[in-house]
Structure formats: C-alpha cells, structure tokens
Amino acid sequence: MPRQARAAETVAAILEAAAQILESDGLATFTTNAVAERAGVSIGTLYQYFGDKNAVLLALARQELAAALAEVTRALQGEVDPTVEGRVRAMIRAMIHAFRGRQRARKAVVQAILAQGLGIELMAPVASFIATASAAIGSGPEAKLPGLSSQQLFVLSRSALGVIRAAVLEEQPFLRSRGFEDELVRMVVAYLGAIIAAADSGPGRTRA
Amino acid sequence: MPRQARAAETVAAILEAAAQILESDGLATFTTNAVAERAGVSIGTLYQYFGDKNAVLLALARQELAAALAEVTRALQGEVDPTVEGRVRAMIRAMIHAFRGRQRARKAVVQAILAQGLGIELMAPVASFIATASAAIGSGPEAKLPGLSSQQLFVLSRSALGVIRAAVLEEQPFLRSRGFEDELVRMVVAYLGAIIAAADSGPGRTRA
Amino acid sequence: MPRQARAAETVAAILEAAAQILESDGLATFTTNAVAERAGVSIGTLYQYFGDKNAVLLALARQELAAALAEVTRALQGEVDPTVEGRVRAMIRAMIHAFRGRQRARKAVVQAILAQGLGIELMAPVASFIATASAAIGSGPEAKLPGLSSQQLFVLSRSALGVIRAAVLEEQPFLRSRGFEDELVRMVVAYLGAIIAAADSGPGRTRA
Amino acid sequence: MPRQARAAETVAAILEAAAQILESDGLATFTTNAVAERAGVSIGTLYQYFGDKNAVLLALARQELAAALAEVTRALQGEVDPTVEGRVRAMIRAMIHAFRGRQRARKAVVQAILAQGLGIELMAPVASFIATASAAIGSGPEAKLPGLSSQQLFVLSRSALGVIRAAVLEEQPFLRSRGFEDELVRMVVAYLGAIIAAADSGPGRTRA
DNA sequence: AATGAATGAGCCTTCATTCAT
DNA sequence: AATGAATGAAGGCTCATTCAT
C-alpha cells in the first residue's frame, strides 16, 4: 500500500501545517493556500484530500478530540483512584491537557469551530462518550449514580468543557494549575452528588 | 441637545439593524453595507460612529450584556426568594433569557465575538459583576458563603455561562425549558455548597 | 472691517493647518476634514472659503510661491553683486530657501501640485517673473543678454527649478549646501553665456 | 518553461493594459479592476503578480525607464557624432522620445510616481547610468571632462530631466521640436564646458 | 457665518476554489 | 496524483462634499 501510505503522509502533513499556522499566527493567516504551502504540497493536492477549508479544521479538531478521548479512556482504565472524585479528576485532567500543549492552536481551533457553527457535530461524540463514561464513573465502590437525563448530561459535560474552553479562549494562565483542576473537580463532583441526592429523594425536585 | 439626541438615535438604529440582520440571516449576510441600509443610514454614517465592522458587533454585544446584567440586578433586588437557591435561580433565569429572545442573533454575536478573540474584554465586566453578586447571594438568611477565590469565581461564572453558551450555539430547544433551568440551578447551588463545606472543613482540600 | 479681518484669520488658520499637516504627516493624511479640525474650524467653514480640496493646496502653494518671488525681488533690489553671477546667485538662493524651511511640507505640496496637474497654473507667474527678471539680470554692467525666446525661458526656468524640485522630492541633504548652490549658479550662468554667444554669432545655430 | 513564458505574457499584458488606460484616460480611471479587464485577466491574476496598485505603476515606470536607458546606450554606441555635443544630443533626444510617444501615459506615470514619493528609487539607476555615460561623453576627441562630483552629476542629470519632465507635465507642444532639443543641448553642453573650465582654472571657484 | 452629521460612489483587495496541464 | 496559475464574487472602507440647522 504505498499509495495509501503516501496519502496518509500528505494528510498528516497538511494537518500538522494547519496546527502550526494556527499556533504561530492564529486564525487570521489560516488560509488554504498558506496551509498547503507550509505542508509542502500544492493547493490542488490539499483539495484532493479535503473538500473545503472547514474540512481541514474539522479534521484537525476531530484528530485532537479523538486523542483527548483516548487519553481519558486510558486514564480511566489506569489504576487511578477508583472513587468518583478520582475518576472525575482523571477525566478533567485529560481534558485540560488536550491538544498536546499547543494552547494557541487549541484556541484558534475552538474559535474557528465555534465561529463556523461546527461545534454541534463535534459535540456529538463527546456527548455519547460522556454518557458512557458517567456510567463507568458511577460503577465504582461508592456508586449509586442513576442514569442521567439528556439535560443532565448536557449540563454536566458543557459545564466542565465550558470552563476549560473559556480558560483556553481567555488564555488564562492558571489553566494547567492544580488549584484550577481542584475547583473543576469540586464543581463536577458536587453536581454529581446533587444529582444522586435528588434521585434518592424523588425525581423532579431541586434540592440545595 | 438635538445633536446628541440625533446621534444616539442613529447609533441605536444601526445596532437594531445589526441585531435584526443577525437574527434573520446570521453572520453570513452581516455586512456593513447591509446594516447601514437596514438602518436607513448611509454607509458613511455607520463608519462615523463605528470604527469598523467589528465595532458594531462589539457594541451590540456590550449593549445586550449590559442589559442582561441590569436584568440580573433587577431580579436580585426583586427579593422573590431570599434563599441561595432563589437568588441563583433568578440570576440564571435572567442569563438564559438575555438578548430579548433573539436566539439566532445571540448565537451569531457569540460566534463573532469568540472568533474575533473579543471574549476576553467582554468577560471582564461579567467577572466583576459576578464577584459582587456572589457576595450578595451569600448575604441571605442561610449565608455562610466565604469570599471566593478568583479561580472559584472563574469556575462558577464560566460553568453557568458555558452551559448557556453551548445551548445557544448548539441551538438546543430546551434552552428556555424549566428542566434545563433546574439543572443549571442544581449545578451552581451544589458547587456553592461544596465551596462552603470546603471552607468549613479547612482550605485546600477537595471534598466530594 | 471686522468681517474681513475675521475671514482673513480663518483663511490663514486653514492654510497654516494645511502646512502643518503636510509637514508632519505628508499627503496621506492631508484630508479636508483633518485640515479643518487642525485649523479649529468646521469642515463647512473650510468650504466657505475654499471651493474644493485642491483650492487649499493651490492657495498654500501660491502663498509660498509669492513669498519666494517677493524674496527674489528683494534680493535683486538689495545691493547684491551687480554682475550676472551675483544676480543669478541671489535668485537661486531665494528659490532654494523658499517655503520657510518646511522641507517636508514643501515636498508634499510639490507632490500634490504635480499629481493634480496644477503645476501649469503655478508656473505661469513664475514664467512671467523670470522673463522680467532675466531682463533685469541682463541690464547690469556686463549686460548683453538678448531677449529670450519662450523656449529659452522655459529651459532656463525649468532647469533651475527642476534641479531644486528634484532635490526637494528626493530629500537630498545637500539642498542648502554652498556647493550645491555653486553648481546651480554655474549651470545657469553657463547657459546664459551660451545664449549670448549664440546671439552674437547668429541666431538658430547651437554652439558648444 | 511554459510556466514562465505564460507568466511573462500575463505580466506584459497587464503592463500594456496599464499604459493604454493611462494614455487614453489618465490616472482618474486607472483602477486595478480596469487594468485587469483591459489586460484580459482576472483581478486575482493581477494581484498574483503585483502586490498592489502602486506596484503596477512602478513596474511600468521601471520598464519604460529601462527601455529609455537602453535607447540612450544604443544612441551613444551609434557613434553618429563623436563630439561632446553630438553625444549629448543623442542622449537628450532619446530621453525626449522615451515612453514610445505615449505622452499622456508618461505624464500620468510621472505624476503617480512623484505623488507616491517613489521618484527616489527610480532615480537611483538613472544616477549611476549618468555617471557612466558622462565618462563616456568625456572620452571623445575633445575630451577633457574631469570626473564629476556627485552634486555636479545631480545638477547635470536633474536639469535635463527636470526640463523634460516639466515639458511633459505641462504638456508643452514643443516637447519634440528641434528648437527645444537645441536649447536643452545648449544648456547641457554649456554646463559641461563650465565644469571643464572650472577644473582647469582650479577647483572650488565658480566662474561666469 | 458657522456647524458637523450625513452622504455614497466606487476602489482596493482577499482568498476559497477550479481545472487545464 | 500533483501542480499552481487563474478565477471572480463580494465586502470593507475612505473622504470630498453637501445642506439643514
């Protein structure tokens, strides 16, 4: 399969070039021509593999997202603290450290994805992943986590992601700090606890 | 002050036109020429008041943000329910219903602001507002809310805003539903409770 | 005549503002609005006194040109060296030092005048002045200068002006140097000498 | 090299279109869109080869300047008349007839170049050319022309160019007349003679 | 006389995408 | 499969000028 190997190399080169441009110059200079040039291929070749500009962005985002989810899976399967907090922390830590440290590229990708309205498609795999993961989280020693409603799943995932996303977009220096991680964990664990408590006392009532 | 009144009218007309265009057609047709035409002024007049296209978007965002914060303030002063949950619910409800029901325009503005990297400046007033508001929330009958750290403030505000923002961007139909509001309130209240509990048992430790 | 005095003040303020803007920022920022603002008058007032943008430029150029010609006249009437060279030198020196030392403004005015094709009207007074002056130059002790043909007048005036103009446009540092003045004088005097020699030996023949 | 040949054709077509538009309509209608259309290429193609509007003008000016200098060189090598006057006349005639007779285009280019302050860069090759040429002129049978100082070179070149430039800008009908050429030659030859005389009698003194 | 908000024609320029080679 | 010259729709923006107040 020399053909496919070559093609995979080209695609990888394009995605790497895209990430580099986003990392160094942001969205402003992220043009298809610039990406092709940086990747060392012609613009025509780029369009051989990607239908349009957004497809490059989407592929990059998907690649990094998949890597992050794989990392989360790995973290959960590792011999981490099997308590709810331990598992939540593992997930959050993986999410915080996604995109291999390229914060500027990550910011640019998030901006582009949101601006293009592509966030919806990207969130679908996240949502199903979270659903699965929440079951795993709730299967531990302390586990009593009921099945989560779709809105609970939404609030749970978007609150954590939203905080991380905001930190990335605002370039908050504390993004990778322990204190920030602690607070995120506290928030998620508290919310999970509240959901369990509500399920115990009866559905439909909100309890502080 | 006929001068200033006239100018204010013109500016208001431009912002209203901008909102209308965003609401009906989204970012794609949001051009300065289109905005000026819809506003009934010449393109030159638009540029008399706004330095460039982004300035229009930013002004619109600021206007709606200020309106939302004012609404939150009003809701808090309404004293509907002086409990923590009551106050949190009032705030969240105001945030959910911001932008006078123009969900598409809201989405477009959020997209544009984020894409332009202007989210940072817009969050500044929100942060200081939340800091003040959290003090107010903690001053009720059940009050034991300690002063919040800047990272706690960040997590608190961005988690709620992030969830609402995601719902707006993903055009979730349940945005204005009671169930969604309930979950948001549950999350915020639970997190506040966890902060209080942590403050009681000693700083620096995260408790589930 | 308070009316006229006021008007003269306004006109002067506008011309001064124009010169200042040209001196500090060049042609790029020379807009009617900028001139009016710098002059402390409204744009409407500017148009009360000047028909259009070019009129401001032309008035400024005419003012400085008149000052330069007056200076030349003064120089010739002064007790300068009454030889041809002395008189030529006096004229050239006055031309070099025109525009009161505002070299950038001078450059900008020259650029603008040339670019607008207004050079023709400005050269008319210069031509007639030179014609008169050449007669005066030829009326000295060594005088045998014949009446000059229109083409000779043209070459005579444009060669000297052209050299100075080029030095101004190219911002040559030697513009005000003695050596540069010497060369200009040498050129003009040599040409005058050649014209006389040709007239002596018979019209229509060119002699080295 | 079909690639490069195609590109050269395109560039040539654009420059030719630019010259035609300047010749027929002047600077007013010289827009990049008009040039591209006249050249039979898209506006995008124009910008593929020229960074901006000015670059087109500059390239046209450089092309014509190079052609004129080549023509001067050819004239000097033609050895029509090896005397100083003969050589000077050959040079001046070539300069007068530069721009292939397109007087209006020439005027427009000169205006644009001067207005943009690009005259400086365009004069650099002229200066070095004149320096070389003056040595060639002085190498004939009557030759005693000393090495010229940079200021002498400046006055020599700019006086001739300045007169021609003025004639072009003022659209003087006598530009191509024999009498005008005679006067220019007379001026230049006289100045060269004065330089030689001054060099003979001792440097630093100006002689009438 | 003065003000300055308003006008609007129209230019320059970008960049995603195509397709002949 | 790759190339890259060419395309062209479309939009942001300037600034000289007007005129109602």
Side-chain angles (χ1 to χ4, degrees):
Chain A
M1 282 141 208
R3 298 251 173 100
Q4 293 191 26
R6 183 71 190 282
E9 264 178 49
T10 302
V11 166
I14 291 172
L15 291 183
E16 174 60 21
Q20 282 181 21
I21 288 178
L22 289 173
E23 179 69 16
S24 60
D25 301 297
L27 270 181
T29 59
F30 183 76
T31 67
T32 51
N33 285 290
V35 170
E37 191 181 9
R38 174 80 71 112
V41 300
S42 73
I43 180 66
T45 298
L46 185 149
Y47 276 89
Q48 202 92 43
Y49 293 102
F50 297 93
D52 60 20
K53 190 191 186 187
N54 273 342
V56 179
L57 227 27
L58 217 41
L60 182 59
R62 273 200 244 271
Q63 170 181 283
E64 298 300 327
L65 182 59
L69 294 185
E71 185 58 38
V72 171
T73 301
R74 209 172 305 126
L76 287 181
Q77 290 172 339
E79 23 179 330
V80 284
D81 180 358
T83 63
V84 166
E85 183 186 324
R87 287 169 166 164
V88 166
R89 184 178 294 276
M91 291 187 66
I92 285 186
R93 186 172 294 170
M95 283 159 51
I96 287 177
H97 292 82
F99 237 95
R100 288 172 291 167
R102 282 168 153 159
Q103 294 311 318
R104 287 173 55 77
R106 184 181 192 177
K107 176 181 177 180
V109 168
V110 171
Q111 285 182 313
I113 293 298
L114 295 182
Q116 303 297 318
L118 304 172
I120 301 178
E121 353 186 3
L122 275 173
M123 292 320 284
V126 175
S128 65
F129 180 89
I130 296 269
T132 308
S134 69
I137 287 174
S139 68
E142 335 160 29
K144 301 188 284 286
L145 192 62
L148 300 181
S149 73
S150 67
Q151 292 182 18
Q152 286 174 329
L153 231 32
F154 186 87
V155 171
L156 182 62
S157 56
R158 279 14 171 230
S159 60
L161 281 175
V163 172
I164 295 172
R165 194 181 265 180
V168 168
L169 289 177
E170 300 176 32
E171 300 180 31
Q172 295 291 357
F174 53 64
L175 173 63
R176 295 154 168 281
S177 75
R178 173 69 191 224
F180 180 59
E181 181 187 307
D182 284 347
E183 288 304 324
L184 259 171
V185 171
R186 194 199 308 281
M187 181 202 68
V188 170
V189 169
Y191 180 43
L192 285 174
I195 290 175
I196 292 171
D200 287 348
S201 68
R205 294 303 307 134
T206 305
R207 286 280 100 197
Chain B
M1 283 148 208
R3 291 275 162 71
Q4 296 192 24
R6 184 74 191 280
E9 262 178 51
T10 300
V11 167
I14 291 171
L15 292 181
E16 174 60 22
Q20 283 180 19
I21 288 178
L22 290 173
E23 181 65 20
S24 60
D25 302 294
L27 272 178
T29 60
F30 183 76
T31 68
T32 51
N33 284 295
V35 171
E37 191 178 7
R38 174 84 67 114
V41 300
S42 73
I43 182 65
T45 297
L46 185 150
Y47 278 91
Q48 195 104 45
Y49 294 103
F50 299 93
D52 59 18
K53 189 191 183 187
N54 263 335
V56 179
L57 238 16
L58 203 48
L60 182 58
R62 275 201 238 271
Q63 172 181 283
E64 297 301 326
L65 181 59
L69 294 184
E71 186 58 40
V72 170
T73 301
R74 211 171 303 127
L76 286 180
Q77 289 172 341
E79 297 281 347
V80 197
D81 178 355
T83 64
V84 165
E85 184 186 324
R87 285 168 167 165
V88 165
R89 185 177 293 275
M91 290 186 67
I92 285 184
R93 187 172 293 169
M95 283 160 52
I96 287 176
H97 291 82
F99 235 95
R100 286 171 290 167
R102 283 166 155 158
Q103 293 312 318
R104 287 173 56 78
R106 185 180 191 177
K107 176 183 177 181
V109 167
V110 170
Q111 284 182 314
I113 293 299
L114 293 183
Q116 244 72 54
L118 302 173
I120 302 179
E121 6 190 348
L122 274 174
M123 292 319 284
V126 173
S128 65
F129 180 88
I130 296 274
T132 308
S134 70
I137 286 174
S139 68
E142 334 157 33
K144 303 188 282 288
L145 192 64
L148 300 180
S149 75
S150 66
Q151 293 182 18
Q152 286 174 331
L153 236 28
F154 185 86
V155 172
L156 183 63
S157 56
R158 281 6 172 235
S159 59
L161 280 176
V163 172
I164 294 172
R165 196 181 264 180
V168 168
L169 290 176
E170 300 176 30
E171 300 180 36
Q172 295 291 358
F174 53 65
L175 173 64
R176 294 155 168 283
S177 75
R178 173 70 191 221
F180 180 59
E181 180 187 307
D182 284 347
E183 287 305 322
L184 260 171
V185 170
R186 194 198 309 281
M187 179 202 68
V188 170
V189 169
Y191 181 43
L192 285 174
I195 290 174
I196 292 171
D200 287 347
S201 67
R205 296 301 307 130
T206 304
R207 288 279 101 199
Chain C
M1 282 143 210
R3 299 253 173 98
Q4 294 190 25
R6 183 70 191 282
E9 262 178 52
T10 300
V11 166
I14 291 172
L15 292 182
E16 174 60 21
Q20 282 181 20
I21 288 178
L22 290 172
E23 180 68 17
S24 60
D25 300 299
L27 270 181
T29 59
F30 183 75
T31 66
T32 50
N33 285 290
V35 170
E37 190 182 8
R38 175 81 70 111
V41 301
S42 72
I43 182 66
T45 298
L46 185 148
Y47 275 89
Q48 201 92 43
Y49 293 102
F50 298 93
D52 59 20
K53 189 191 184 185
N54 273 342
V56 178
L57 226 28
L58 217 40
L60 182 59
R62 273 201 242 270
Q63 171 181 284
E64 297 299 328
L65 183 59
L69 295 185
E71 186 57 39
V72 172
T73 302
R74 209 172 305 127
L76 288 181
Q77 290 171 340
E79 22 178 332
V80 284
D81 180 359
T83 64
V84 165
E85 183 186 325
R87 287 169 167 165
V88 166
R89 185 178 293 276
M91 289 185 67
I92 285 184
R93 186 172 295 171
M95 282 159 51
I96 286 177
H97 291 83
F99 236 96
R100 288 170 291 167
R102 282 168 153 158
Q103 293 310 320
R104 288 174 54 77
R106 185 181 191 178
K107 177 182 177 180
V109 167
V110 170
Q111 285 182 313
I113 293 299
L114 295 182
Q116 303 298 315
L118 305 173
I120 302 179
E121 355 186 1
L122 275 174
M123 292 319 284
V126 174
S128 65
F129 181 88
I130 296 271
T132 309
S134 69
I137 287 174
S139 68
E142 334 158 32
K144 301 188 283 289
L145 192 64
L148 300 181
S149 74
S150 66
Q151 292 182 19
Q152 286 174 330
L153 231 32
F154 186 86
V155 172
L156 182 63
S157 55
R158 279 9 171 233
S159 61
L161 281 176
V163 172
I164 294 172
R165 194 180 265 180
V168 168
L169 288 178
E170 299 176 31
E171 300 182 32
Q172 295 291 357
F174 52 64
L175 173 63
R176 294 154 169 281
S177 75
R178 173 68 192 223
F180 180 60
E181 180 187 307
D182 284 348
E183 288 305 322
L184 259 171
V185 170
R186 195 198 309 281
M187 180 202 68
V188 169
V189 169
Y191 181 43
L192 285 173
I195 289 175
I196 292 171
D200 287 349
S201 69
R205 296 301 308 132
T206 304
R207 286 280 100 194
Chain D
M1 283 144 208
R3 291 273 163 70
Q4 295 190 26
R6 184 75 192 281
E9 262 178 51
T10 301
V11 166
I14 291 172
L15 291 182
E16 174 60 21
Q20 283 180 19
I21 288 178
L22 289 173
E23 181 65 19
S24 60
D25 301 295
L27 272 178
T29 60
F30 183 77
T31 68
T32 50
N33 284 293
V35 170
E37 190 179 8
R38 174 84 67 116
V41 300
S42 74
I43 182 66
T45 296
L46 185 149
Y47 277 91
Q48 196 105 45
Y49 294 102
F50 300 93
D52 60 18
K53 190 190 184 187
N54 263 336
V56 179
L57 238 16
L58 202 49
L60 182 59
R62 275 200 238 270
Q63 171 181 283
E64 298 300 327
L65 182 58
L69 294 184
E71 186 57 40
V72 171
T73 301
R74 209 171 305 128
L76 285 180
Q77 289 172 339
E79 298 279 350
V80 199
D81 178 353
T83 64
V84 166
E85 184 185 322
R87 287 169 165 165
V88 166
R89 184 177 295 276
M91 290 185 68
I92 285 184
R93 187 171 293 169
M95 282 160 52
I96 287 177
H97 291 83
F99 235 95
R100 288 171 289 167
R102 283 166 156 158
Q103 294 312 318
R104 287 172 55 78
R106 185 180 191 177
K107 177 182 177 181
V109 168
V110 170
Q111 286 182 313
I113 294 298
L114 293 183
Q116 245 71 57
L118 301 173
I120 302 179
E121 8 188 348
L122 274 174
M123 291 319 283
V126 174
S128 65
F129 180 88
I130 296 273
T132 307
S134 70
I137 287 175
S139 68
E142 334 157 31
K144 302 189 283 287
L145 191 62
L148 299 181
S149 74
S150 66
Q151 292 182 19
Q152 286 173 331
L153 236 28
F154 185 87
V155 171
L156 183 63
S157 56
R158 282 4 174 237
S159 59
L161 281 176
V163 173
I164 295 172
R165 195 181 264 180
V168 168
L169 289 177
E170 299 176 31
E171 299 180 35
Q172 296 291 359
F174 52 66
L175 172 64
R176 294 153 167 284
S177 75
R178 173 68 191 223
F180 180 59
E181 181 187 306
D182 284 347
E183 287 305 322
L184 259 172
V185 171
R186 194 198 308 281
M187 180 202 67
V188 170
V189 170
Y191 180 42
L192 284 173
I195 290 174
I196 291 171
D200 287 348
S201 67
R205 296 301 307 130
T206 305
R207 288 279 100 198

